[in-house]
PDB file of all heavy atoms in Angstrom:
ATOM      1  N   GLU A 417     101.902-143.451 -26.198  1.00 87.00           N
ATOM      2  CA  GLU A 417     102.112-144.249 -27.453  1.00 87.00           C
ATOM      3  C   GLU A 417     101.066-143.964 -28.508  1.00 87.00           C
ATOM      4  O   GLU A 417      99.935-143.557 -28.113  1.00 87.00           O
ATOM      5  CB  GLU A 417     102.139-145.756 -27.198  1.00 87.00           C
ATOM      6  CG  GLU A 417     103.162-146.152 -26.193  1.00 87.00           C
ATOM      7  CD  GLU A 417     103.141-147.623 -25.873  1.00 87.00           C
ATOM      8  OE1 GLU A 417     102.059-148.187 -26.054  1.00 87.00           O
ATOM      9  OE2 GLU A 417     104.165-148.229 -25.370  1.00 87.00           O
ATOM     10  N   ALA A 418     101.300-144.244 -29.761  1.00 87.00           N
ATOM     11  CA  ALA A 418     100.355-143.994 -30.858  1.00 87.00           C
ATOM     12  C   ALA A 418      99.152-144.979 -30.610  1.00 87.00           C
ATOM     13  O   ALA A 418      99.327-146.072 -30.228  1.00 87.00           O
ATOM     14  CB  ALA A 418     101.014-144.321 -32.191  1.00 87.00           C
ATOM     15  N   GLY A 419      98.023-144.434 -30.844  1.00 84.00           N
ATOM     16  CA  GLY A 419      96.707-145.173 -30.753  1.00 84.00           C
ATOM     17  C   GLY A 419      96.128-145.047 -29.355  1.00 84.00           C
ATOM     18  O   GLY A 419      95.105-145.628 -29.056  1.00 84.00           O
ATOM     19  N   LYS A 420      96.693-144.245 -28.469  1.00 84.00           N
ATOM     20  CA  LYS A 420      96.174-144.056 -27.090  1.00 84.00           C
ATOM     21  C   LYS A 420      95.597-142.679 -26.901  1.00 84.00           C
ATOM     22  O   LYS A 420      96.062-141.687 -27.583  1.00 84.00           O
ATOM     23  CB  LYS A 420      97.345-144.290 -26.058  1.00 84.00           C
ATOM     24  CG  LYS A 420      97.996-145.632 -26.085  1.00 84.00           C
ATOM     25  CD  LYS A 420      97.062-146.705 -25.528  1.00 84.00           C
ATOM     26  CE  LYS A 420      97.778-148.052 -25.466  1.00 84.00           C
ATOM     27  NZ  LYS A 420      96.921-149.092 -24.977  1.00 84.00           N
ATOM     28  N   TYR A 421      94.681-142.537 -26.005  1.00 85.00           N
ATOM     29  CA  TYR A 421      94.099-141.281 -25.661  1.00 85.00           C
ATOM     30  C   TYR A 421      95.000-140.646 -24.552  1.00 85.00           C
ATOM     31  O   TYR A 421      95.509-141.353 -23.683  1.00 85.00           O
ATOM     32  CB  TYR A 421      92.695-141.363 -25.158  1.00 85.00           C
ATOM     33  CG  TYR A 421      91.690-141.491 -26.230  1.00 85.00           C
ATOM     34  CD1 TYR A 421      91.274-142.709 -26.715  1.00 85.00           C
ATOM     35  CD2 TYR A 421      91.180-140.332 -26.891  1.00 85.00           C
ATOM     36  CE1 TYR A 421      90.341-142.836 -27.771  1.00 85.00           C
ATOM     37  CE2 TYR A 421      90.262-140.405 -27.910  1.00 85.00           C
ATOM     38  CZ  TYR A 421      89.872-141.679 -28.433  1.00 85.00           C
ATOM     39  OH  TYR A 421      88.980-141.738 -29.389  1.00 85.00           O
ATOM     40  N   ILE A 422      95.106-139.299 -24.583  1.00 86.00           N
ATOM     41  CA  ILE A 422      95.827-138.640 -23.491  1.00 86.00           C
ATOM     42  C   ILE A 422      95.028-138.722 -22.194  1.00 86.00           C
ATOM     43  O   ILE A 422      93.847-138.196 -22.165  1.00 86.00           O
ATOM     44  CB  ILE A 422      96.129-137.213 -23.865  1.00 86.00           C
ATOM     45  CG1 ILE A 422      96.800-137.113 -25.247  1.00 86.00           C
ATOM     46  CG2 ILE A 422      96.998-136.524 -22.770  1.00 86.00           C
ATOM     47  CD1 ILE A 422      98.084-137.757 -25.336  1.00 86.00           C
ATOM     48  N   PRO A 423      95.535-139.290 -21.143  1.00 86.00           N
ATOM     49  CA  PRO A 423      94.784-139.458 -19.887  1.00 86.00           C
ATOM     50  C   PRO A 423      94.663-138.285 -18.982  1.00 86.00           C
ATOM     51  O   PRO A 423      93.841-138.300 -18.095  1.00 86.00           O
ATOM     52  CB  PRO A 423      95.512-140.596 -19.213  1.00 86.00           C
ATOM     53  CG  PRO A 423      96.916-140.340 -19.582  1.00 86.00           C
ATOM     54  CD  PRO A 423      96.928-139.842 -20.995  1.00 86.00           C
ATOM     55  N   ALA A 424      95.508-137.239 -19.167  1.00 86.00           N
ATOM     56  CA  ALA A 424      95.444-136.090 -18.331  1.00 86.00           C
ATOM     57  C   ALA A 424      96.097-134.894 -18.991  1.00 86.00           C
ATOM     58  O   ALA A 424      96.472-135.022 -20.271  1.00 86.00           O
ATOM     59  CB  ALA A 424      96.187-136.360 -17.025  1.00 86.00           C
ATOM     60  N   TYR A 425      96.282-133.745 -18.353  1.00 86.00           N
ATOM     61  CA  TYR A 425      96.956-132.566 -18.903  1.00 86.00           C
ATOM     62  C   TYR A 425      98.417-132.832 -18.660  1.00 86.00           C
ATOM     63  O   TYR A 425      98.888-132.834 -17.493  1.00 86.00           O
ATOM     64  CB  TYR A 425      96.408-131.391 -18.178  1.00 86.00           C
ATOM     65  CG  TYR A 425      96.876-130.060 -18.820  1.00 86.00           C
ATOM     66  CD1 TYR A 425      97.121-129.949 -20.196  1.00 86.00           C
ATOM     67  CD2 TYR A 425      96.934-128.906 -18.116  1.00 86.00           C
ATOM     68  CE1 TYR A 425      97.524-128.806 -20.726  1.00 86.00           C
ATOM     69  CE2 TYR A 425      97.347-127.692 -18.609  1.00 86.00           C
ATOM     70  CZ  TYR A 425      97.659-127.639 -19.971  1.00 86.00           C
ATOM     71  OH  TYR A 425      98.013-126.480 -20.557  1.00 86.00           O
ATOM     72  N   ILE A 426      99.203-133.009 -19.673  1.00 88.00           N
ATOM     73  CA  ILE A 426     100.580-133.563 -19.574  1.00 88.00           C
ATOM     74  C   ILE A 426     101.543-132.595 -20.185  1.00 88.00           C
ATOM     75  O   ILE A 426     101.368-132.123 -21.338  1.00 88.00           O
ATOM     76  CB  ILE A 426     100.754-134.944 -20.189  1.00 88.00           C
ATOM     77  CG1 ILE A 426      99.815-135.923 -19.436  1.00 88.00           C
ATOM     78  CG2 ILE A 426     102.146-135.409 -20.217  1.00 88.00           C
ATOM     79  CD1 ILE A 426      99.763-137.314 -20.042  1.00 88.00           C
ATOM     80  N   ARG A 427     102.648-132.382 -19.442  1.00 88.00           N
ATOM     81  CA  ARG A 427     103.768-131.554 -19.960  1.00 88.00           C
ATOM     82  C   ARG A 427     104.792-132.552 -20.593  1.00 88.00           C
ATOM     83  O   ARG A 427     105.246-133.476 -19.936  1.00 88.00           O
ATOM     84  CB  ARG A 427     104.480-130.759 -18.863  1.00 88.00           C
ATOM     85  CG  ARG A 427     105.904-130.238 -19.200  1.00 88.00           C
ATOM     86  CD  ARG A 427     105.783-129.182 -20.256  1.00 88.00           C
ATOM     87  NE  ARG A 427     107.096-128.442 -20.403  1.00 88.00           N
ATOM     88  CZ  ARG A 427     108.043-128.773 -21.184  1.00 88.00           C
ATOM     89  NH1 ARG A 427     108.047-129.789 -21.908  1.00 88.00           N
ATOM     90  NH2 ARG A 427     109.161-127.952 -21.205  1.00 88.00           N
ATOM     91  N   ILE A 428     104.947-132.437 -21.954  1.00 89.00           N
ATOM     92  CA  ILE A 428     105.808-133.325 -22.629  1.00 89.00           C
ATOM     93  C   ILE A 428     107.270-133.086 -22.305  1.00 89.00           C
ATOM     94  O   ILE A 428     107.793-131.935 -22.463  1.00 89.00           O
ATOM     95  CB  ILE A 428     105.486-133.282 -24.143  1.00 89.00           C
ATOM     96  CG1 ILE A 428     104.121-133.590 -24.479  1.00 89.00           C
ATOM     97  CG2 ILE A 428     106.483-134.187 -24.917  1.00 89.00           C
ATOM     98  CD1 ILE A 428     103.703-133.320 -25.880  1.00 89.00           C
ATOM     99  N   LEU A 429     108.007-134.079 -21.888  1.00 89.00           N
ATOM    100  CA  LEU A 429     109.358-134.009 -21.595  1.00 89.00           C
ATOM    101  C   LEU A 429     110.294-134.536 -22.755  1.00 89.00           C
ATOM    102  O   LEU A 429     111.312-133.922 -23.008  1.00 89.00           O
ATOM    103  CB  LEU A 429     109.759-134.810 -20.348  1.00 89.00           C
ATOM    104  CG  LEU A 429     108.941-134.414 -19.041  1.00 89.00           C
ATOM    105  CD1 LEU A 429     109.312-135.360 -17.927  1.00 89.00           C
ATOM    106  CD2 LEU A 429     109.253-133.001 -18.671  1.00 89.00           C
ATOM    107  N   GLU A 430     109.775-135.543 -23.421  1.00 88.00           N
ATOM    108  CA  GLU A 430     110.546-136.146 -24.531  1.00 88.00           C
ATOM    109  C   GLU A 430     109.615-136.691 -25.524  1.00 88.00           C
ATOM    110  O   GLU A 430     108.545-137.236 -25.163  1.00 88.00           O
ATOM    111  CB  GLU A 430     111.515-137.290 -23.955  1.00 88.00           C
ATOM    112  CG  GLU A 430     112.262-137.914 -25.056  1.00 88.00           C
ATOM    113  CD  GLU A 430     113.152-139.025 -24.438  1.00 88.00           C
ATOM    114  OE1 GLU A 430     113.107-139.228 -23.294  1.00 88.00           O
ATOM    115  OE2 GLU A 430     113.848-139.694 -25.236  1.00 88.00           O
ATOM    116  N   ALA A 431     109.850-136.435 -26.840  1.00 87.00           N
ATOM    117  CA  ALA A 431     108.905-136.868 -27.854  1.00 87.00           C
ATOM    118  C   ALA A 431     109.719-137.265 -29.109  1.00 87.00           C
ATOM    119  O   ALA A 431     110.719-136.808 -29.382  1.00 87.00           O
ATOM    120  CB  ALA A 431     107.897-135.778 -28.195  1.00 87.00           C
ATOM    121  N   ASN A 432     109.073-138.161 -29.875  1.00 88.00           N
ATOM    122  CA  ASN A 432     109.611-138.648 -31.151  1.00 88.00           C
ATOM    123  C   ASN A 432     108.559-138.725 -32.176  1.00 88.00           C
ATOM    124  O   ASN A 432     107.620-139.612 -32.050  1.00 88.00           O
ATOM    125  CB  ASN A 432     110.335-139.956 -30.910  1.00 88.00           C
ATOM    126  CG  ASN A 432     110.990-140.459 -32.159  1.00 88.00           C
ATOM    127  OD1 ASN A 432     111.366-139.708 -33.070  1.00 88.00           O
ATOM    128  ND2 ASN A 432     111.090-141.776 -32.347  1.00 88.00           N
ATOM    129  N   ASN A 433     108.528-137.873 -33.162  1.00 88.00           N
ATOM    130  CA  ASN A 433     107.513-137.855 -34.229  1.00 88.00           C
ATOM    131  C   ASN A 433     106.120-137.880 -33.605  1.00 88.00           C
ATOM    132  O   ASN A 433     105.268-138.621 -34.150  1.00 88.00           O
ATOM    133  CB  ASN A 433     107.760-139.032 -35.190  1.00 88.00           C
ATOM    134  CG  ASN A 433     109.035-138.960 -35.921  1.00 88.00           C
ATOM    135  OD1 ASN A 433     109.551-137.890 -36.212  1.00 88.00           O
ATOM    136  ND2 ASN A 433     109.716-140.163 -36.163  1.00 88.00           N
ATOM    137  N   LEU A 434     105.916-137.138 -32.664  1.00 88.00           N
ATOM    138  CA  LEU A 434     104.607-137.136 -31.937  1.00 88.00           C
ATOM    139  C   LEU A 434     103.625-136.254 -32.600  1.00 88.00           C
ATOM    140  O   LEU A 434     103.811-135.046 -32.826  1.00 88.00           O
ATOM    141  CB  LEU A 434     104.813-136.666 -30.541  1.00 88.00           C
ATOM    142  CG  LEU A 434     103.544-136.664 -29.647  1.00 88.00           C
ATOM    143  CD1 LEU A 434     102.971-138.133 -29.480  1.00 88.00           C
ATOM    144  CD2 LEU A 434     103.765-136.047 -28.256  1.00 88.00           C
ATOM    145  N   LEU A 435     102.518-136.849 -33.034  1.00 90.00           N
ATOM    146  CA  LEU A 435     101.376-136.159 -33.571  1.00 90.00           C
ATOM    147  C   LEU A 435     100.129-136.489 -32.810  1.00 90.00           C
ATOM    148  O   LEU A 435      99.769-137.671 -32.460  1.00 90.00           O
ATOM    149  CB  LEU A 435     101.163-136.594 -35.100  1.00 90.00           C
ATOM    150  CG  LEU A 435     102.259-136.230 -36.087  1.00 90.00           C
ATOM    151  CD1 LEU A 435     101.950-136.847 -37.434  1.00 90.00           C
ATOM    152  CD2 LEU A 435     102.500-134.728 -36.160  1.00 90.00           C
ATOM    153  N   ILE A 436      99.314-135.408 -32.453  1.00 88.00           N
ATOM    154  CA  ILE A 436      98.109-135.573 -31.640  1.00 88.00           C
ATOM    155  C   ILE A 436      96.989-134.983 -32.360  1.00 88.00           C
ATOM    156  O   ILE A 436      97.068-133.825 -32.820  1.00 88.00           O
ATOM    157  CB  ILE A 436      98.344-134.955 -30.265  1.00 88.00           C
ATOM    158  CG1 ILE A 436      99.563-135.596 -29.502  1.00 88.00           C
ATOM    159  CG2 ILE A 436      97.056-135.059 -29.451  1.00 88.00           C
ATOM    160  CD1 ILE A 436      99.787-135.042 -28.155  1.00 88.00           C
ATOM    161  N   ASP A 437      95.854-135.759 -32.372  1.00 87.00           N
ATOM    162  CA  ASP A 437      94.608-135.226 -32.960  1.00 87.00           C
ATOM    163  C   ASP A 437      93.884-134.482 -31.885  1.00 87.00           C
ATOM    164  O   ASP A 437      93.342-135.121 -30.903  1.00 87.00           O
ATOM    165  CB  ASP A 437      93.844-136.448 -33.438  1.00 87.00           C
ATOM    166  CG  ASP A 437      92.553-136.026 -34.126  1.00 87.00           C
ATOM    167  OD1 ASP A 437      92.304-134.773 -34.181  1.00 87.00           O
ATOM    168  OD2 ASP A 437      91.754-136.886 -34.642  1.00 87.00           O
ATOM    169  N   GLU A 438      93.776-133.218 -31.998  1.00 83.00           N
ATOM    170  CA  GLU A 438      93.114-132.332 -30.961  1.00 83.00           C
ATOM    171  C   GLU A 438      91.733-131.799 -31.411  1.00 83.00           C
ATOM    172  O   GLU A 438      91.280-130.761 -30.901  1.00 83.00           O
ATOM    173  CB  GLU A 438      94.062-131.182 -30.658  1.00 83.00           C
ATOM    174  CG  GLU A 438      95.338-131.583 -30.013  1.00 83.00           C
ATOM    175  CD  GLU A 438      96.196-130.391 -29.631  1.00 83.00           C
ATOM    176  OE1 GLU A 438      95.941-129.273 -30.047  1.00 83.00           O
ATOM    177  OE2 GLU A 438      97.191-130.575 -28.909  1.00 83.00           O
ATOM    178  N   VAL A 439      91.155-132.502 -32.357  1.00 78.00           N
ATOM    179  CA  VAL A 439      89.889-132.033 -32.935  1.00 78.00           C
ATOM    180  C   VAL A 439      88.785-131.974 -31.823  1.00 78.00           C
ATOM    181  O   VAL A 439      87.918-131.124 -31.792  1.00 78.00           O
ATOM    182  CB  VAL A 439      89.438-132.927 -34.091  1.00 78.00           C
ATOM    183  CG1 VAL A 439      89.173-134.318 -33.632  1.00 78.00           C
ATOM    184  CG2 VAL A 439      88.145-132.334 -34.783  1.00 78.00           C
ATOM    185  N   ALA A 440      88.829-132.871 -30.868  1.00 75.00           N
ATOM    186  CA  ALA A 440      87.842-132.922 -29.759  1.00 75.00           C
ATOM    187  C   ALA A 440      87.919-131.656 -28.929  1.00 75.00           C
ATOM    188  O   ALA A 440      86.906-131.303 -28.244  1.00 75.00           O
ATOM    189  CB  ALA A 440      87.999-134.171 -28.939  1.00 75.00           C
ATOM    190  N   LEU A 441      89.096-131.047 -28.841  1.00 78.00           N
ATOM    191  CA  LEU A 441      89.268-129.817 -27.899  1.00 78.00           C
ATOM    192  C   LEU A 441      89.371-128.542 -28.692  1.00 78.00           C
ATOM    193  O   LEU A 441      88.626-127.576 -28.365  1.00 78.00           O
ATOM    194  CB  LEU A 441      90.534-130.019 -27.092  1.00 78.00           C
ATOM    195  CG  LEU A 441      90.901-128.960 -26.086  1.00 78.00           C
ATOM    196  CD1 LEU A 441      89.773-128.858 -25.076  1.00 78.00           C
ATOM    197  CD2 LEU A 441      92.249-129.220 -25.498  1.00 78.00           C
ATOM    198  N   THR A 442      90.198-128.432 -29.709  1.00 76.00           N
ATOM    199  CA  THR A 442      90.393-127.250 -30.433  1.00 76.00           C
ATOM    200  C   THR A 442      89.703-127.180 -31.736  1.00 76.00           C
ATOM    201  O   THR A 442      89.541-126.048 -32.299  1.00 76.00           O
ATOM    202  CB  THR A 442      91.872-127.020 -30.691  1.00 76.00           C
ATOM    203  OG1 THR A 442      92.462-128.017 -31.539  1.00 76.00           O
ATOM    204  CG2 THR A 442      92.679-126.988 -29.358  1.00 76.00           C
ATOM    205  N   GLY A 443      89.226-128.250 -32.252  1.00 71.00           N
ATOM    206  CA  GLY A 443      88.565-128.267 -33.603  1.00 71.00           C
ATOM    207  C   GLY A 443      89.565-128.377 -34.730  1.00 71.00           C
ATOM    208  O   GLY A 443      89.081-128.382 -35.908  1.00 71.00           O
ATOM    209  N   GLU A 444      90.853-128.485 -34.483  1.00 73.00           N
ATOM    210  CA  GLU A 444      91.857-128.617 -35.523  1.00 73.00           C
ATOM    211  C   GLU A 444      91.635-129.937 -36.220  1.00 73.00           C
ATOM    212  O   GLU A 444      91.666-130.955 -35.665  1.00 73.00           O
ATOM    213  CB  GLU A 444      93.192-128.534 -34.865  1.00 73.00           C
ATOM    214  CG  GLU A 444      94.340-128.618 -35.935  1.00 73.00           C
ATOM    215  CD  GLU A 444      94.349-127.403 -36.938  1.00 73.00           C
ATOM    216  OE1 GLU A 444      94.164-126.305 -36.417  1.00 73.00           O
ATOM    217  OE2 GLU A 444      94.561-127.650 -38.138  1.00 73.00           O
ATOM    218  N   SER A 445      91.449-129.873 -37.590  1.00 72.00           N
ATOM    219  CA  SER A 445      91.103-131.030 -38.330  1.00 72.00           C
ATOM    220  C   SER A 445      92.268-131.955 -38.602  1.00 72.00           C
ATOM    221  O   SER A 445      92.060-133.153 -38.967  1.00 72.00           O
ATOM    222  CB  SER A 445      90.415-130.596 -39.656  1.00 72.00           C
ATOM    223  OG  SER A 445      91.311-129.802 -40.445  1.00 72.00           O
ATOM    224  N   VAL A 446      93.427-131.546 -38.531  1.00 81.00           N
ATOM    225  CA  VAL A 446      94.657-132.300 -38.850  1.00 81.00           C
ATOM    226  C   VAL A 446      95.463-132.448 -37.532  1.00 81.00           C
ATOM    227  O   VAL A 446      95.428-131.650 -36.640  1.00 81.00           O
ATOM    228  CB  VAL A 446      95.562-131.651 -39.931  1.00 81.00           C
ATOM    229  CG1 VAL A 446      94.765-131.628 -41.238  1.00 81.00           C
ATOM    230  CG2 VAL A 446      96.033-130.279 -39.511  1.00 81.00           C
ATOM    231  N   PRO A 447      96.149-133.611 -37.410  1.00 85.00           N
ATOM    232  CA  PRO A 447      97.048-133.834 -36.246  1.00 85.00           C
ATOM    233  C   PRO A 447      98.059-132.762 -36.065  1.00 85.00           C
ATOM    234  O   PRO A 447      98.580-132.234 -36.998  1.00 85.00           O
ATOM    235  CB  PRO A 447      97.631-135.219 -36.440  1.00 85.00           C
ATOM    236  CG  PRO A 447      96.703-135.852 -37.425  1.00 85.00           C
ATOM    237  CD  PRO A 447      96.177-134.798 -38.295  1.00 85.00           C
ATOM    238  N   VAL A 448      98.347-132.371 -34.772  1.00 85.00           N
ATOM    239  CA  VAL A 448      99.290-131.376 -34.404  1.00 85.00           C
ATOM    240  C   VAL A 448     100.516-131.921 -33.959  1.00 85.00           C
ATOM    241  O   VAL A 448     100.599-132.912 -33.155  1.00 85.00           O
ATOM    242  CB  VAL A 448      98.677-130.457 -33.328  1.00 85.00           C
ATOM    243  CG1 VAL A 448      99.621-129.385 -32.974  1.00 85.00           C
ATOM    244  CG2 VAL A 448      97.346-129.868 -33.812  1.00 85.00           C
ATOM    245  N   GLU A 449     101.712-131.415 -34.424  1.00 87.00           N
ATOM    246  CA  GLU A 449     102.970-131.956 -33.938  1.00 87.00           C
ATOM    247  C   GLU A 449     103.354-131.356 -32.644  1.00 87.00           C
ATOM    248  O   GLU A 449     103.248-130.199 -32.385  1.00 87.00           O
ATOM    249  CB  GLU A 449     104.077-131.488 -35.026  1.00 87.00           C
ATOM    250  CG  GLU A 449     105.430-132.106 -34.751  1.00 87.00           C
ATOM    251  CD  GLU A 449     106.476-131.716 -35.806  1.00 87.00           C
ATOM    252  OE1 GLU A 449     106.069-131.091 -36.812  1.00 87.00           O
ATOM    253  OE2 GLU A 449     107.604-132.059 -35.577  1.00 87.00           O
ATOM    254  N   LYS A 450     103.853-132.263 -31.794  1.00 87.00           N
ATOM    255  CA  LYS A 450     104.224-131.871 -30.441  1.00 87.00           C
ATOM    256  C   LYS A 450     105.670-132.142 -30.129  1.00 87.00           C
ATOM    257  O   LYS A 450     106.268-133.043 -30.775  1.00 87.00           O
ATOM    258  CB  LYS A 450     103.334-132.603 -29.407  1.00 87.00           C
ATOM    259  CG  LYS A 450     101.775-132.334 -29.485  1.00 87.00           C
ATOM    260  CD  LYS A 450     101.488-130.919 -28.954  1.00 87.00           C
ATOM    261  CE  LYS A 450      99.973-130.663 -28.955  1.00 87.00           C
ATOM    262  NZ  LYS A 450      99.629-129.403 -28.358  1.00 87.00           N
ATOM    263  N   ASN A 451     106.254-131.462 -29.181  1.00 85.00           N
ATOM    264  CA  ASN A 451     107.647-131.724 -28.752  1.00 85.00           C
ATOM    265  C   ASN A 451     107.842-131.373 -27.339  1.00 85.00           C
ATOM    266  O   ASN A 451     106.925-130.886 -26.659  1.00 85.00           O
ATOM    267  CB  ASN A 451     108.613-130.899 -29.708  1.00 85.00           C
ATOM    268  CG  ASN A 451     108.201-129.436 -29.716  1.00 85.00           C
ATOM    269  OD1 ASN A 451     108.308-128.735 -28.660  1.00 85.00           O
ATOM    270  ND2 ASN A 451     107.760-128.931 -30.834  1.00 85.00           N
ATOM    271  N   GLY A 452     109.014-131.635 -26.846  1.00 83.00           N
ATOM    272  CA  GLY A 452     109.351-131.341 -25.387  1.00 83.00           C
ATOM    273  C   GLY A 452     110.073-130.084 -25.242  1.00 83.00           C
ATOM    274  O   GLY A 452     110.715-129.858 -24.158  1.00 83.00           O
ATOM    275  N   GLU A 453     110.102-129.108 -26.134  1.00 84.00           N
ATOM    276  CA  GLU A 453     110.872-127.918 -26.010  1.00 84.00           C
ATOM    277  C   GLU A 453     110.280-126.965 -24.979  1.00 84.00           C
ATOM    278  O   GLU A 453     109.097-127.017 -24.667  1.00 84.00           O
ATOM    279  CB  GLU A 453     110.857-127.132 -27.386  1.00 84.00           C
ATOM    280  CG  GLU A 453     111.640-127.940 -28.427  1.00 84.00           C
ATOM    281  CD  GLU A 453     111.672-127.156 -29.726  1.00 84.00           C
ATOM    282  OE1 GLU A 453     111.112-126.065 -29.805  1.00 84.00           O
ATOM    283  OE2 GLU A 453     112.183-127.677 -30.760  1.00 84.00           O
ATOM    284  N   ILE A 454     111.097-126.131 -24.369  1.00 83.00           N
ATOM    285  CA  ILE A 454     110.703-125.157 -23.364  1.00 83.00           C
ATOM    286  C   ILE A 454     110.080-123.940 -24.024  1.00 83.00           C
ATOM    287  O   ILE A 454     110.773-123.404 -24.904  1.00 83.00           O
ATOM    288  CB  ILE A 454     111.823-124.802 -22.438  1.00 83.00           C
ATOM    289  CG1 ILE A 454     112.354-126.076 -21.710  1.00 83.00           C
ATOM    290  CG2 ILE A 454     111.362-123.718 -21.455  1.00 83.00           C
ATOM    291  CD1 ILE A 454     113.560-125.799 -20.878  1.00 83.00           C
ATOM    292  N   ILE A 455     108.982-123.481 -23.619  1.00 81.00           N
ATOM    293  CA  ILE A 455     108.332-122.308 -24.171  1.00 81.00           C
ATOM    294  C   ILE A 455     108.301-121.221 -23.008  1.00 81.00           C
ATOM    295  O   ILE A 455     107.723-121.467 -21.970  1.00 81.00           O
ATOM    296  CB  ILE A 455     106.902-122.543 -24.657  1.00 81.00           C
ATOM    297  CG1 ILE A 455     106.947-123.626 -25.788  1.00 81.00           C
ATOM    298  CG2 ILE A 455     106.227-121.215 -25.219  1.00 81.00           C
ATOM    299  CD1 ILE A 455     105.579-123.926 -26.315  1.00 81.00           C
TER     300      ILE A 455
END
């Protein structure tokens, strides 16, 4: 949910308007959009 930290390395199965701030890991200054699509 919004306002929560990611507790583990997670494969997203379903998402709705999901934005994650990854500055602590990748240095990206703006939130990154995530989805459950297969890559």
Side-chain angles (χ1 to χ4, degrees):
E417 299 175 340
K420 300 289 186 180
Y421 280 95
I422 307 298
Y425 191 27
I426 296 175
R427 165 66 166 91
I428 299 173
L429 303 176
E430 182 182 357
N432 182 26
N433 296 325
L434 182 62
L435 295 177
I436 299 180
D437 184 358
E438 296 182 347
V439 64
L441 181 63
T442 63
E444 182 63 43
S445 59
V446 296
V448 179
E449 184 177 356
K450 298 285 185 175
N451 54 64
E453 297 179 0
I454 298 176
I455 300 177

